[in-house]
Amino acid sequence: MTIHETLDTTKLLNEVCEQLKGLIRHIDPNKLGFIGIHTGGVWVANKITEELQLKTNVGELNIAFYRDDFSKIGVHPTVKPSQLPFEVSGRHLILVDDILHTGRTVRAAMNEIFDYGRPLSISLVVLIARSGRELPIHADVCGADINLSKGGHVKLRGPEPLRLEICRDS
Amino acid sequence: MMVKKNIQLDAAGRLKHFLSIEGLSKTILINILDHAETFTSVGERAVKKVPLLRGKTVVNLFFEASTRTRTTFELAAKRLSADVMNINIDASATSKGESLADTLRTLEAMQADMFIVRHQDSGAPEFIARLVSAGVSVINAGDGRHAHPTQAMLDMFTIRKHKPIFENLAVAIVGDIKHSRVARSEIHALKILGVPEIRVVAPKTLIPAEIEKLGVSVHHDIQQGIKDADVVIMLRLQKERMSSALLPSGSEFFNTYGLTSKNLKAAKPDAIVMHPGPINRGIEIDSAIADSKQSLILEQVANGIAVRMAIMSLVVGNASL
């Protein structure tokens, strides 16, 4: 697949941080919890908390056991346990992923989060949202929207530096 | 080169049934251990369940009594959100004259996706694996003297947690090697994972013929056998063997082959002690050792759930492709 464009993520991250500041302004920092979806989401979540100077450990969520394509691809080969370094119950969660596409990953992530406890709220933060949603899921905070045909592809490379590779079609 | 077809693997080499460690690659074993690692974290959460096998039906088909193996399989299946049926064949259809094949067809008609089979005859799970339709998996939960592969994998998992590099280990297996399906599966697993030194320790009457061919050294003296070992695996002495003149008595066995603190001093100071259970205190292992810090007997049981979750989800996932 040919890479047509490589995006510097600094601008996108700045945009995300600006929007996020407004979102969390009224939330008690002690009740805030950041969760990144393995692996790209964790990279982005780490950048955001660093940029906003939030002294919080980022939780890592591996949704392999919650995917809806088990009967199509079997157990997902990436094996890394989820690690949430805080109590989920009673917390406002900021769920972070790199790319929002079909929405299925986010659905799986929310299902998993509820097996840890009952959060007060979950907000979705993504670096980039591409077209192709299959579920009624939208990002609360989003660095940019991008229109891609079905064969198009976005991939976050990282963790240092973070850069987005965009392929317009296959 | 002619390659013998392994019924456990599908055409793409993926694990479809789990019947025996023999014939599996190191990659497959490591993959199971890595997945089990992830499943361990599920057991530490508020909700100890993941939806992987939701809507699947798992049948525990036990032709031979078992408590811990059956319950850990049951718990593992339930933590994967499967529906579980326990069928004790002894008390069920076969006593009414139904053949094994007919029993299986009946159960399959109930849309079972996986059979967990324990049987007193070696090879029964493989026989069943050949009978079931495509898309149905079979896991061996112990057959005759042949194999107990999930027990071996949970022991490998326990060893790796404490001694991460298999290539550096000396492992001693002590006790009734001859009648032990656990020992056989463990030897295969240790070999495949690259353990350079595997020893079996037992009186001559409890060592099977030609065991050396599996690449183990044979010892008849426990202190010599566990000398500088990193891992000491004790096997349960099946009491019924004592009546068959293979052994003088429990206490005499304990005096010669029992794991006491005095004997254990021969092993490395940080050696770990394992036992598949149930333990006979004062016959193969001293109570003080069984309850000591070096003993991982209860950890083995806990690890058994995560390892069985890993194996079940891998085979069901592959079988449904």
Side-chain angles (χ1 to χ4, degrees):
Chain A
M1 197 180 274
T2 332
I3 297 160
H4 292 87
E5 212 176 322
T6 305
L7 284 185
D8 176 22
T9 54
T10 318
K11 236 179 92 186
L12 296 172
L13 278 168
N14 286 343
E15 177 62 31
V16 164
C17 287
E18 276 315 305
Q19 291 179 32
L20 191 58
K21 272 187 210 160
L23 187 85
I24 62 175
R25 199 171 41 210
H26 301 296
I27 299 176
D28 174 1
N30 295 318
K31 286 195 169 176
L32 208 54
F34 277 80
I35 296 177
I37 298 175
H38 184 74
T39 45
V42 179
W43 296 339
V44 176
N46 281 329
K47 288 272 183 209
I48 294 173
T49 49
E50 204 182 293
E51 181 65 31
L52 297 181
Q53 296 179 330
L54 294 166
K55 289 192 189 79
T56 171
N57 290 323
V58 171
E60 296 188 20
L61 208 58
N62 188 320
I63 55 131
F65 299 149
Y66 290 80
R67 296 173 63 100
D68 59 8
D69 49 8
F70 178 67
S71 60
K72 291 201 178 108
I73 62 166
V75 183
H76 210 251
T78 51
V79 279
K80 199 168 175 282
S82 296
Q83 277 169 336
L84 300 188
F86 44 74
E87 210 36 70
V88 158
S89 295
R91 215 174 266 276
H92 293 281
L93 298 181
I94 308 296
L95 180 62
V96 184
D97 205 1
D98 46 2
I99 297 140
L100 174 61
H101 180 197
T102 59
R104 288 177 193 270
T105 300
V106 176
R107 183 211 62 98
M110 288 200 287
N111 279 11
E112 176 160 11
I113 287 171
F114 276 82
D115 281 348
Y116 282 87
R118 182 180 184 272
L120 286 177
S121 70
I122 302 178
S123 304
L124 178 62
V125 174
V126 298
L127 200 55
I128 195 162
R130 62 158 289 182
S131 48
R133 215 76 68 248
E134 290 166 6
L135 297 174
I137 284 172
H138 297 277
D140 299 285
V141 167
C142 172
D145 285 289
I146 176 171
N147 225 323
L148 280 183
S149 61
K150 211 169 176 344
H153 193 73
V154 194
K155 172 96 190 146
L156 183 70
R157 302 276 177 198
E160 274 316 326
L162 281 184
R163 53 186 204 285
L164 272 172
E165 291 174 0
I166 299 171
C167 310
R168 292 278 164 198
D169 49 30
S170 47
Chain B
M1 200 178 85
M2 275 282 287
V3 181
K4 200 178 134 205
K5 193 179 176 305
N6 189 338
I7 188 191
Q8 303 187 84
L9 306 176
D10 67 9
R14 288 175 300 228
L15 201 61
K16 196 178 141 215
H17 303 290
F18 193 63
L19 306 172
S20 151
I21 301 283
E22 226 181 327
L24 298 183
S25 66
K26 186 173 179 179
T27 317
I28 287 182
L29 299 195
I30 296 282
N31 190 33
I32 291 172
L33 297 180
D34 289 346
H35 273 91
E37 204 83 58
T38 315
F39 282 114
T40 308
S41 65
V42 173
E44 293 156 3
R45 307 185 324 192
V47 176
K48 295 171 178 53
K49 249 173 143 68
V50 291
L52 270 187
L53 299 194
R54 202 168 149 254
K56 305 276 185 194
T57 303
V58 172
V59 178
N60 266 331
L61 207 53
F62 277 59
F63 296 85
E64 190 185 271
S66 151
T67 311
R68 84 181 54 205
T69 303
R70 188 184 54 71
T71 45
T72 48
F73 264 115
E74 184 176 349
L75 197 54
K78 286 179 171 169
R79 288 196 174 167
L80 291 167
S81 305
D83 295 314
V84 187
M85 271 196 293
N86 290 313
I87 295 177
N88 182 352
I89 293 288
D90 229 18
S92 178
T94 41
S95 55
K96 295 179 195 147
E98 190 178 37
S99 80
L100 177 56
D102 286 331
T103 306
L104 272 177
R105 278 186 200 109
T106 311
L107 293 169
E108 260 193 18
M110 298 176 199
Q111 308 286 323
D113 297 285
M114 174 162 30
F115 292 108
I116 313 289
V117 181
R118 167 166 290 200
H119 203 287
Q120 59 277 14
D121 295 339
S122 301
E126 181 173 337
F127 175 77
I128 291 171
R130 290 186 190 279
L131 278 180
V132 295
S133 30
V136 177
S137 296
V138 177
I139 292 181
N140 182 0
D143 61 332
R145 295 183 193 178
H146 171 237
H148 194 350
T150 60
Q151 176 71 42
M153 286 314 291
L154 78 89
D155 289 342
M156 297 308 115
F157 183 78
T158 309
I159 292 173
R160 194 175 77 161
K161 275 207 126 125
H162 295 266
K163 312 272 174 192
I165 303 167
F166 286 110
E167 286 78 3
N168 293 345
L169 298 182
V171 179
I173 307 174
V174 186
D176 184 357
I177 311 290
K178 187 171 185 168
H179 302 98
S180 173
R181 52 194 175 207
V182 175
R184 240 165 289 266
S185 288
E186 272 172 345
I187 292 167
H188 286 298
L190 291 165
K191 221 57 240 147
I192 293 167
L193 290 168
V195 171
E197 202 178 340
I198 308 168
R199 311 171 194 156
V200 293
V201 187
K204 284 194 178 106
T205 48
L206 295 183
I207 295 271
E210 303 195 319
I211 185 92
E212 294 92 339
K213 285 197 173 157
L214 295 179
V216 302
S217 61
V218 176
H219 299 261
H220 301 302
D221 178 283
I222 184 165
Q223 293 216 10
Q224 212 179 57
I226 67 174
K227 192 174 184 308
D228 295 327
D230 301 278
V231 180
V232 180
I233 301 173
M234 301 303 295
L235 298 174
R236 184 173 78 92
L237 192 69
Q238 297 170 21
K239 288 192 177 134
E240 54 274 25
R241 309 293 171 214
M242 279 182 268
S243 54
S244 61
L246 288 171
L247 274 176
S249 73
S251 59
E252 195 168 332
F253 183 84
F254 183 68
N255 287 337
T256 336
Y257 288 98
L259 191 63
T260 58
S261 37
K262 183 172 158 256
N263 285 339
L264 188 54
K265 283 203 179 85
K268 288 212 179 119
D270 63 344
I272 54 173
V273 175
M274 300 180 11
H275 190 302
I279 58 173
N280 294 311
R281 291 170 186 266
I283 293 184
E284 68 258 351
I285 188 164
D286 189 23
S287 247
I289 298 292
D291 301 328
S292 74
K293 265 197 197 145
Q294 277 175 283
S295 154
L296 304 177
I297 298 170
L298 291 178
E299 190 187 318
Q300 284 173 269
V301 180
N303 289 342
I305 299 168
V307 169
R308 289 180 173 123
M309 284 170 83
I311 293 168
M312 286 171 143
S313 54
L314 283 166
V315 295
V316 172
N318 291 337
S320 60
L321 297 181

